[in-house]
């Protein structure tokens, strides 16, 4: 199961310290993990939310660091793709996977798959025994849709104001964090529903 | 992509004043009260979501707004469902909240509303009752009804099961097993409901039901799976997709539950070969219990997927899906074979054929890893030779696919999870570290964590020396791998500019051997190479490459792990050899800033530790240690190690540590150290070097004093030096010490030692204390024990 899907910056942000990442979209699936661990006391909803935010912030920072290293090591110049060149931007994207040890930051061990498209990172945190080939494919599909439907290759800030579109996308392609084995016909059917949503 | 506009939006959302926010709330309530909810409402809800999510701390909405949003969850228009769910997720749940989870109408809720319930669940009980409600809905469902309400049930159940498998009762498990069997095996094999795109020209013929097709276009001849296509799909075909997507997790979760069925399992283990012949017929004949039936159908589904994956898909996305299906199918087969060992004999021919088909194609490497897991788990039972599998996993994969981050992650995870098994069954495991370390050399930040876990298993007495050399040259391996990749990308004639010299060297036949040694796959062909310094010179320009720099940063960590492990497996002879390696390599490292210093620091701490554990090591390696400490240049270039070498000589070169120690040896050591001390305190440091650190001088003085205390003839020589030192420094500054305070400290230490040596007997007991002084066990000493006991008893009586 996928624990969360994140969109965050992987470029320097002036208002933040170096190495910090701005979270633009964060969707955690399923019930809060703290309900099921043996805690000494139960967390209140406020505490759970703060904890969740901090956990996802840790992941974003680690992905930022990994993306920076990957780009520095590749030595390629970052090409700014224009709107309409989503497929190219995706092809040029850096990608990788991180191991998140148990306790750091989630209770159980997790794997964080990430795609770095210019200044944004798209991260999928899932259980380590999950089918990572499927997860990787799903992440690429989600990223492509986000780039297209939120016009991310332009200067827009739609990811902040149109986050319901991402929610709708996730409810079709990654319902409640479930990765789906979709051949092109099933995917086409779902993408039609997503496209219909976007025009509303 | 990410602009100032976005930053200022977030800032605005965070810093919104409370009065403005309240106005916004009331405006929104008014909008929601209206008959028609239009674009302005959507826009306001989106802004509200941003305001709520921009802060770490949770806000409470005014009750009227909260109520309106709650009712919006069941709006017929999806955007409102999505937005209200998203907004409410960012707020505190209402007080009387738990009641929601036992309501009857959970089944009627849309996917977004249920997502909200799930995220706001406050206790295990809430989650359990949500689960029960959903299953009740599943059970009592009629065949009509919207697809949506059913399709999200499986994902939700799956996510709940991740955390809380116990929330399903035995009956639930049975119910779901039956449903899963139906959806997996008996989904319709006709394309969905005659639903052509309609249109003017379609006639009655197009409304005839058409069978589903395979990915290569041929008509499908068997049951429906995720690799079947059609123009549109029926509900049960959708459930087929959802079921398969959730299947492995389901089987893994209820693995332990099925083991409760002791009779079946015992029988299958004992009468392995007999049952295997029987089980083929039993699946067609009598009806198996639900869980066993699910296992059987899963088995069949996976076999079909494996067959279907051999077909040439028309689209790339489908070809990728085939790969993912292969991984999943093999994993599920592995899982069901764990539960029912009789299935192994049916599964193996299929898996073996798959291996044969894919083993020569590196683009299927990630599929071959689950196959390797299958072989590891069941290969012994099926008496299959796994040699070619391990040759891939430990040979071709690391040496050719080290730059694939996903393969690296999965392969290293495979090693971590199966460490014990691999050490038992794969003899070449401990010799494969040159290959495995390529993953680390290429992308150290991503995989260093895995190697922290794996390295101890790679440390054996037979390979320890070679491993140490390999770890020290890991940055060189980094550089070499980069060169190898560049070499294949750039044509030979091109002038690449940056990195030219090292690339030329890499391609030149005269240096080929050096690089080939680094790129070797197996240990055992030699600890290291003679021309190591040549190699380092060739790679000097790589010292600022990102991969090399990152690699250099993690080597000290690995060395610590190496030394901590090696003391548990090595005998004294090996440890002595390792000390030798440390001394040799301290000047033979790739010249990366701070690298040398860090390595020296690691060496020093472990040299100390080794000698403390086995003091006679100093005697074993006395010749090399003396040679090292007698070279004045080492004071300046390897200060840290030098200090520690001198210290261990002073501390452990004595008869009480090793009976082989002779007066001659002590004297020659003394003379070597004395010469160095004279030299560094009587002249200016050589050009380019700093003054020797005070610690070096004091350590030398202390060592000389210790040695003198064991051979009293030497005492006058030390005393003479120390008094001369006092005289010389009385004038103030000296050429070899720049700091006045340091000089004072040195002189003070000199005076302490000088006065100590005036009484040789005392000096001996202070500077060479016998064992019972350094490792006190006061409670055993008859004189000291009594006060200790009395004190303990008093404390006990006082605490009551």
């Amino acid at each position: 199961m996928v624990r969360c899907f994140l969109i965050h910056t992987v470029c320097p942000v002036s208002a933040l310290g170096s190495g910090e990442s701005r979270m633009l979209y964060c969707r955690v699936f399923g019930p809060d993990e703290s309900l099921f661990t043996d805690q000494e006391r139960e967390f209140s909803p406020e505490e759970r939310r703060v904890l969740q935010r901090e956990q996802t912030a840790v992941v974003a920072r680690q992905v930022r660091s990994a993306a920076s290293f990957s780009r520095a090591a590749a030595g390629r110049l970052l090409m700014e793709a224009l709107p309409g060149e989503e497929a190219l931007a995706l092809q040029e994207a850096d990608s990788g996977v991180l191991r998140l040890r148990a306790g750091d930051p989630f209770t159980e061990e997790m794997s964080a798959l990430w795609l770095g498209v210019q200044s944004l990172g798209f991260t999928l945190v899932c259980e380590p025994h999950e089918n990572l080939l499927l997860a990787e494919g799903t992440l690429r599909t989600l990223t492509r849709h986000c780039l297209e439907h939120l016009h991310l290759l332009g200067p827009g800030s739609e990811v902040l104001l149109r986050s319901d579109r991402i929610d709708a996308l996730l409810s079709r392609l990654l319902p409640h964090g479930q990765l789906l084995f979709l051949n092109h016909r099933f995917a086409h059917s779902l993408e039609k529903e997503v496209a219909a949503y976007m025009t509303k | 992509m990410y602009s100032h506009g976005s930053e200022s939006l977030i800032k605005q959302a965070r810093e919104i004043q409370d009065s403005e926010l309240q106005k916004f709330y009331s405006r929104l309530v008014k909008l929601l009260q209206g008959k028609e909810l239009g674009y302005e409402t959507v826009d306001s809800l989106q802004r509200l979501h941003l305001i709520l999510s921009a802060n770490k701390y949770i806000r409470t909405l005014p009750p009227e707004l909260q109520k309106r949003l709650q009712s919006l969850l069941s709006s017929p228009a999806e955007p409102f469902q999505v937005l209200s769910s998203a907004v409410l997720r960012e707020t505190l749940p209402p007080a009387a909240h738990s009641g929601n989870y036992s309501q009857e109408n959970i089944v009627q809720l849309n996917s977004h509303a249920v997502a909200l319930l799930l995220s706001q669940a406050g206790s295990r009980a809430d989650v359990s009752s949500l689960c029960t409600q959903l299953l009740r809905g599943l059970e009592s469902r009629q065949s009509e009804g919207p697809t949506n309400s059913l399709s999200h049930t499986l994902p939700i159940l799956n996510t709940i099961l991740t955390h809380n498998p116990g929330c399903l009762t035995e009956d639930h498990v049975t119910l779901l097993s039956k449903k899963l069997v139906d959806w997996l095996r008996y989904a319709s094999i006709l394309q969905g409901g005659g639903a052509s795109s309609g249109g003017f020209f379609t006639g009655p013929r197009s409304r005839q039901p058409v069978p589903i097709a395979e990915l290569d276009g041929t008509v499908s001849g068997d049951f429906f799976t995720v690799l079947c296509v059609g123009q549109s799909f029926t509900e049960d075909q959708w459930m087929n997709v959802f079921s398969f997507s959730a299947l492995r997790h389901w089987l893994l979760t209820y693995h332990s539950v099925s083991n409760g069925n002791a009779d079946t399992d015992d029988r299958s283990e004992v009468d392995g070969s007999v049952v295997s012949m029987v089980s083929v017929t039993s699946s067609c004949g009598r009806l198996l219990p639900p869980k066993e039936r699910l296992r059987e159908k899963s088995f069949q589904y996976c076999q079909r997927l494996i067959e279907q994956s051999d077909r040439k898909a028309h689209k790339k996305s489908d070809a990728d899906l085939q790969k993912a299906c292969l991984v999943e199918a093999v994993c599920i087969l592995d899982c069901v074979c764990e539960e029912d060992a009789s299935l192994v004999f049916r599964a193996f021919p299929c898996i073996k054929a798959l291996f044969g088909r894919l083993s020569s194609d590196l683009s299927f490497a990630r599929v071959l890893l689950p196959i390797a897991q299958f072989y590891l788990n069941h290969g012994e039972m099926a008496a299959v030779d796994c040699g070619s599998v391990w040759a891939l996993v430990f040979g071709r994969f690391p040496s050719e696919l080290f730059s694939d981050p996903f393969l690296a992650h999965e392969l290293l995870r495979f090693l971590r999870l199966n460490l014990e098994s691999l050490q038992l069954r794969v003899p070449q495991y401990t010799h494969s570290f040159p290959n495995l370390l390529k993953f680390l050399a290429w992308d150290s930040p991503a995989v260093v964590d895995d190697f922290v876990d794996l390295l101890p298993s790679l440390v054996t007495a037979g390979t320890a020396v070679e491993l140490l050399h390999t770890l020290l040259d890991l940055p060189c391996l980094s550089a070499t791998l980069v060169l190898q990749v560049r070499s294949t990308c750039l044509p030979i004639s091109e002038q690449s500019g940056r990195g030219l010299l090292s690339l030329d060297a890499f391609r030149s036949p005269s240096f080929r051997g050096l690089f080939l040694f680094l790129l070797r796959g197996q240990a055992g062909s030699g600890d290291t190479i003679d021309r190591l310094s040549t190699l380092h010179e060739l790679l000097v320009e790589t010292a600022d490459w990102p991969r090399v720099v990152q690699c250099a940063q993690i080597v000290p960590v690995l060395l610590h792990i190496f030394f901590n492990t090696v003391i548990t497996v090595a005998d004294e002879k090996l440890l002595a050899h390792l000390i030798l390696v440390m001394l040799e390599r301290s000047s033979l490292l790739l010249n990366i800033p701070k690298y040398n210093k860090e390595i020296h620091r690691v060496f020093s701490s472990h040299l100390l530790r080794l000698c403390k554990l086995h003091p006679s090591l100093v005697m074993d390696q006395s010749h090399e240690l003396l040679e090292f400490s007698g070279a004045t240049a080492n004071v300046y270039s390897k200060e840290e190690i030098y200090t520690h070498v001198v210290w261990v000589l002073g501390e452990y070169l004595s008869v009480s540590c090793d009976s082989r120690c002779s007066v001659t040896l002590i004297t020659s050591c003394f003379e070597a150290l004395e010469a160095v001390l004279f030299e560094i305190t009587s002249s200016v440091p050589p050009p380019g070097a700093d003054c020797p650190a005070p610690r070096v001088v004091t350590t030398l003085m202390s060592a000389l004093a210790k040695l003198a205390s064991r051979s009293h003839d030497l005492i006058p020589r030390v005393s003479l030096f120390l008094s001369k030192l006092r005289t010389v420094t009385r004038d103030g500054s000296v050429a070899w010490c720049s700091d006045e305070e340091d000089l004072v400290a040195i002189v003070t230490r000199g005076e302490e030692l000088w006065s100590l040596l005036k009484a040789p007997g005392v000096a001996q007991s202070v500077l060479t204390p016998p064992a019972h002084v350094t490792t006190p066990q006061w409670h055993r000493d008859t004189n000291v024990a009594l006060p200790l006991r009395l004190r303990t008893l008093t404390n006990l009586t006082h605490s009551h």
Side-chain angles (χ1 to χ4, degrees), chain B residues 395-662:
Chain B
R396 280 195 83 191
F397 287 177
S399 65
E400 295 182 54
L401 299 175
F402 55 83
S403 58
D404 180 344
F406 296 95
L407 179 78
H409 178 88
E410 291 180 329
L411 195 146
L412 293 171
R413 181 158 183 273
F414 169 72
L415 295 182
R416 273 189 294 120
L417 294 180
N418 296 286
L419 209 47
E420 275 181 41
S421 254
L422 288 170
Q423 285 175 303
L424 230 82
R425 309 248 190 92
V426 184
Q428 73 259 42
Y429 170 67
T430 50
H431 286 255
S432 58
F433 61 80
N435 252 348
L436 294 175
L437 286 170
K438 285 175 188 167
F439 290 124
L440 186 62
W442 182 257
D443 192 349
S444 30
V447 300
V448 61
D449 235 0
D450 290 320
F451 276 93
V452 163
D453 291 341
L454 289 172
L455 190 60
S457 64
L458 292 167
V459 178
T460 65
T463 55
V465 176
E466 192 179 342
L467 181 56
L468 179 55
H469 281 291
T470 311
L471 288 173
L472 292 169
D473 282 324
L474 216 53
C476 298
L477 179 58
S478 242
T480 308
L481 292 175
V482 174
L483 289 170
Q484 186 181 50
V485 170
R486 273 197 202 165
S487 182
T488 49
C489 296
L490 293 173
I492 298 201
S493 54
E494 190 180 297
Q495 302 284 306
S496 57
R498 192 163 177 260
L500 180 61
L501 289 170
S502 49
L503 191 57
D504 279 347
F506 182 76
R507 285 169 168 167
S508 132
S510 46
F511 299 123
R512 203 84 189 101
L514 304 178
F515 293 104
L516 282 178
F517 178 76
L518 283 181
L519 292 172
R520 72 200 186 284
Q522 291 280 309
S525 56
D527 291 337
T528 185
I529 43 179
D530 292 332
R531 297 195 288 161
L532 205 53
S533 49
T534 317
L535 181 69
H536 292 164
E537 269 169 60
L538 294 171
L539 293 176
V540 76
E541 68 188 349
T542 71
D544 62 350
W545 291 0
R547 292 193 197 277
V548 177
V549 169
Q550 286 285 341
C551 191
Q553 286 178 2
I554 53 104
V555 172
V557 173
L558 296 178
L559 286 178
H560 280 302
I561 298 175
F562 171 81
F563 281 110
N564 289 344
T565 318
V566 88
I567 51 178
T568 62
V569 299
D571 58 3
E572 259 194 50
K573 192 153 164 267
L574 179 57
L575 293 177
H577 194 168
L578 290 175
I579 292 182
L580 194 58
V581 173
M582 282 198 271
L583 293 178
E584 275 176 6
R585 291 302 305 259
S586 58
S587 54
L588 206 54
L589 296 167
L590 187 61
N591 194 7
I592 309 169
K594 296 195 227 152
Y595 185 59
N596 277 262
K597 252 208 167 84
E598 284 300 317
I599 302 295
H600 290 177
R601 200 177 297 174
V602 176
F603 279 172
S604 305
S605 75
H606 288 285
L607 174 68
L608 204 59
R609 202 159 155 229
L610 288 182
C611 292
K612 215 168 188 175
L613 275 175
H614 302 276
S616 52
L617 281 173
V618 177
M619 202 42 234
D620 290 335
Q621 293 292 40
S622 56
H623 179 78
E624 279 72 27
L625 289 168
L626 246 90
E627 213 181 297
F628 188 89
S629 55
T632 317
N634 287 339
V635 173
Y636 300 104
S637 63
K638 298 175 214 170
E639 179 206 302
E640 184 86 22
I641 299 191
Y642 185 83
T643 315
H644 285 77
V645 169
V646 168
W647 194 89
V648 300
L649 280 171
E651 187 75 1
Y652 299 114
L653 201 64
S654 76
V655 172
S656 56
C657 289
D658 191 317
S659 52
R660 298 170 289 170
C661 187
S662 64

Side-chain angles (χ1 to χ4, degrees), chain B residues 663-680:
Chain B
V663 172
T664 333
L665 187 59
I666 293 184
T667 314
S668 50
C669 184
F670 182 93
E671 284 173 354
L673 296 181
E674 191 189 37
V676 176
L677 188 54
F678 274 161
E679 214 184 308
I680 63 174

Side-chain angles (χ1 to χ4, degrees), chain A residues 22 36 49 53 69 99 101 111 119 127 129 131 136 152 161-164 172 178 183-185, chain B residues 1 7 46 49 53 55 78 90 124 158 162 226 228 231 245 248 318 324 328 366 449 453:
Chain A
R22 175 76 73 199
F36 303 99
R49 182 185 143 103
R53 295 287 283 248
F69 173 66
R99 175 188 172 198
R101 269 189 189 270
S111 297
S119 51
E127 294 171 349
H129 60 75
N131 188 325
E136 202 192 331
L152 288 176
L161 286 173
R162 307 264 181 271
S163 60
D164 63 301
R172 299 298 189 295
Q178 174 77 63
N183 63 48
H184 78 277
R185 291 304 313 168
Chain B
M1 235 193 174
E7 270 298 293
Q46 286 167 336
H49 179 254
S53 60
N55 266 304
E78 200 186 349
E90 301 289 333
R124 278 192 203 199
N158 212 4
T162 309
V226 296
C228 293
Q231 274 300 104
S245 302
R248 176 151 70 114
D318 286 340
E328 193 77 359
R366 287 169 71 184
D449 235 0
D453 291 341

Side-chain angles (χ1 to χ4, degrees), chain A residues 82-164:
Chain A
L82 300 168
E85 294 178 337
E86 280 84 14
L88 178 67
L90 203 57
Q91 230 181 332
E92 297 275 300
D94 301 280
S95 64
V97 54
L98 295 173
R99 175 188 172 198
L100 302 171
R101 269 189 189 270
D104 182 23
F106 298 100
T107 325
E108 313 256 303
E109 182 174 323
M110 295 279 155
S111 297
L113 292 88
W114 59 267
L115 268 182
V117 181
Q118 289 169 87
S119 51
L120 293 183
F122 298 81
T123 302
L124 210 62
V125 176
C126 57
E127 294 171 349
H129 60 75
E130 194 58 73
N131 188 325
L132 291 185
L133 261 176
L134 185 65
E136 202 192 331
T138 310
L139 179 59
R140 281 186 185 270
T141 309
L142 286 174
T143 306
R144 178 170 51 87
H145 284 290
C146 287
L147 290 176
E148 284 169 7
H149 295 295
L150 295 171
H151 313 114
L152 288 176
L153 291 179
S157 11
E158 287 179 51
V159 63
L160 293 169
L161 286 173
R162 307 264 181 271
S163 60
D164 63 301

